[in-house]
Amino acid sequence: MNALPRYRIASAGLRPAVLVGLIGALLMGFMVVNAITVTNFGPTSIGLTKETFSDEPDVVVTAKLIAKAKGNQTGAPIGDSAPGVEADSTLPLVRNAIANREFLYEFEVKEALANSFQAGENFKIEVYMDDGVSVYLLSTLYMKQDTVNDSAVEGVLIRVSSGSTDVLGDVWSIVITRQ
């Protein structure tokens, strides 16, 4: 197993939760855990601190944005059950249902190199939010790799609703498990 990269944890209170989550994920055979810490700097600014814990060099998770939804968006039915949407170089969108004005979180899940994913691989993507009181599983989405293109990096774009128009979690965590 590769050594886990070390990143600064946002607060001392978060350290035990991250440690417990990390140990639990290791016991479950996780691939990538990616936590995004949100800092509110006022009504128009939100700062993101990315914290990644990984024992899998094949997957890269990149935070893209946190925003308020502009209109209702239906879920992507092909991505909300296994085996999921096909990962490709256009990064097809996979999302849960999002209501108007709810906070949403968007991130990319891609292979590290153009030949990292193999034909027949399936991935489960779980997105959690911590509001400082509880940790919520917001969505479980899926992607697959049936047709491999070794000349391009492939993946998906994930968009998940917080389920709230007024509460934005302090930490978002993504757990990706190879099925």
Side-chain angles (χ1 to χ4, degrees):
M1 184 163 95
N2 297 329
L4 295 174
R6 299 192 66 113
Y7 294 88
R8 181 183 64 80
I9 302 298
S11 70
L14 181 61
R15 286 187 184 111
V18 170
L19 181 59
V20 168
L22 183 59
I23 290 169
L26 286 172
L27 293 174
M28 292 174 31
F30 87 95
M31 181 191 270
V32 174
V33 175
N34 194 18
I36 305 297
T37 302
V38 179
T39 305
N40 188 350
F41 294 112
T44 59
S45 290
I46 296 175
L48 300 178
T49 304
K50 183 177 173 183
E51 300 162 358
T52 302
F53 306 91
S54 175
D55 72 347
E56 177 59 63
D58 290 341
V59 177
V60 175
V61 177
T62 306
K64 299 306 286 182
L65 65 89
I66 292 178
K68 281 245 182 176
K70 295 178 180 163
N72 295 326
Q73 302 174 24
T74 59
I78 196 166
D80 66 6
S81 63
V85 69
E86 175 75 14
D88 69 32
S89 61
T90 66
L91 303 179
L93 176 64
V94 180
R95 67 174 177 241
N96 64 351
I98 300 170
N100 187 36
R101 310 280 306 144
E102 285 182 338
F103 283 105
L104 61 91
Y105 174 51
E106 189 174 279
F107 60 95
E108 294 175 349
V109 176
K110 299 189 293 190
E111 57 187 338
L113 302 171
N115 61 355
S116 295
F117 294 166
Q118 304 305 311
E121 290 186 325
N122 297 306
F123 302 89
K124 179 168 83 172
I125 304 163
E126 296 171 296
V127 183
Y128 295 87
M129 181 183 75
D130 181 342
D131 65 4
V133 176
S134 299
V135 177
Y136 303 94
L137 173 62
L138 295 178
S139 190
T140 301
L141 301 166
Y142 299 87
M143 73 174 191
K144 65 180 179 175
Q145 181 72 77
D146 284 339
T147 306
V148 176
N149 179 355
D150 284 342
S151 64
V153 171
E154 299 175 290
V156 295
L157 179 66
I158 304 288
R159 187 176 298 150
V160 177
S161 169
S162 70
S164 175
T165 58
D166 58 353
V167 176
L168 179 60
D170 295 328
V171 177
W172 295 68
S173 300
I174 300 101
V175 178
I176 301 172
T177 309
R178 192 182 305 256
Q179 302 284 285

